[in-house]
Amino acid sequence: MSEAALTIFMILAAYLAGSVSSAVLVCKMRGLPDPRTQGSGNPGATNVLRIGGAGAAAMVLFFDMLKGAAPAYLAYLLGINAIWLGVIAIAACLGHIYPVFFDFKGGKGVATAFGAMAPIGDDLALALMGSWLVMVFITRYSSLAAILTALLAPVYTHYLDDRFTIPVAMLSTLIIIRHKDNIVRLVQGKEPRFSIRNKFKKARSKGAADSPPPSLD
C-alpha cells in the first residue's frame, strides 16, 4: 500500500472509530437513558456523569480518549507524516462530533482530542490533565478550563516534542471552535460553574434540571 493510500485509509478508519459513541453504548449496557435525550443532550462523559454516575462516566471518558489515542498512535507507528497525524486525529474527533453510526449527533470531542495528544508523551498527558484540573479549581468553569488547556497544549508540545506542535495546534483549534457557544455564555456571564458535588447530586437525582452542554462531552 502506498503512503498516500495508507494515509487515506487511516483518516477513514479514525473517523469510523470516532463515530462509535461510547456514551450511547455504555448507557445501553448499564440500562441508563440515552444521553442524547437526557441532561444536556450531549453524548459525552460529563452528561453520563449527570444521568448515570461516576462509574459509567469513567468508562465513557476512557473509551472517548481511546478513540483519539489509538488511531493517532497507530498512524505514528506506521510512519505517517506529523501533519497528517493531526488530520487523522481531527478525523477521529469529527467522528465523535458527527458520528455516522448515530445520526451524526455527537459531543464536543474534547476527550477524544486530548486522547489523541496523549501518545506524544506521558509528560504532555500529565501537563494537559494538570492544567485542566488547576484551571477548573481556579475558575470553576469546566468549559473555560478546556479552552485554556487547549491554548496551552501547543506551547507544551513545542517544548516537549516540537515535531507535533502543528498537529496539536490543529486539534486545539477544533476544541476552541467547538466551544463557541460556551465562549458566548462566558462573556455574557451565563455559563454554569463546575461543581463536583453538584455533578454527583445531579447524577443521583432523577429529576435533575437540564443545563448547557459541558466541555468534556
Side-chain angles (χ1 to χ4, degrees):
M1 183 181 295
S2 69
E3 182 177 350
L6 179 61
T7 301
I8 293 171
F9 172 80
M10 286 304 304
I11 291 171
L12 293 174
Y15 173 77
L16 293 176
S19 290
V20 178
S21 179
S22 309
V24 174
L25 294 178
V26 168
C27 285
K28 282 185 177 180
M29 286 191 305
R30 305 195 70 160
L32 299 169
D34 190 324
R36 295 169 295 179
T37 64
Q38 301 289 320
S40 70
N42 274 350
T46 311
N47 197 34
V48 173
L49 173 60
R50 178 184 294 107
I51 65 177
M59 290 177 64
V60 172
L61 181 62
F62 172 78
F63 286 114
D64 279 354
M65 293 184 70
L66 184 63
K67 291 190 304 186
Y73 188 58
L74 178 58
Y76 168 74
L77 293 178
L78 292 172
I80 292 176
N81 179 275
I83 299 298
W84 286 109
L85 289 178
V87 175
I88 290 166
I90 287 175
C93 294
L94 291 176
H96 179 84
I97 296 167
Y98 305 109
V100 66
F101 304 127
F102 295 89
D103 301 321
F104 299 98
K105 298 176 181 178
K108 289 183 180 294
V110 177
T112 304
F114 284 160
M117 298 178 193
I120 292 174
D122 294 342
D123 42 9
L124 178 61
L126 290 173
L128 294 174
M129 185 182 301
S131 295
W132 187 84
L133 290 172
V134 169
M135 296 301 178
V136 166
F137 180 78
I138 293 174
T139 69
R140 299 297 180 184
Y141 288 111
S142 178
S143 58
L144 182 57
I147 293 166
L148 293 174
T149 302
L151 289 171
L152 288 171
V155 179
Y156 293 150
T157 307
H158 177 72
Y159 284 101
L160 296 173
D161 194 337
D162 60 4
R163 294 176 299 166
F164 302 107
T165 302
I166 293 178
V168 168
M170 294 163 65
L171 285 169
S172 294
T173 300
L174 178 62
I175 291 172
I176 294 168
I177 291 172
R178 287 294 292 165
H179 280 80
K180 61 183 185 301
D181 293 336
N182 302 86
I183 293 171
V184 171
R185 287 194 296 269
L186 284 164
V187 172
Q188 294 175 341
K190 298 179 180 179
E191 181 76 349
R193 290 182 179 272
F194 182 90
S195 169
I196 292 294
R197 181 178 298 177
N198 288 341
K199 292 291 183 186
F200 278 97
K201 285 181 179 179
K202 287 181 180 180
R204 291 194 297 264
S205 174
K206 294 182 181 179
D210 290 352
S211 62
S215 67
L216 283 183
D217 287 349

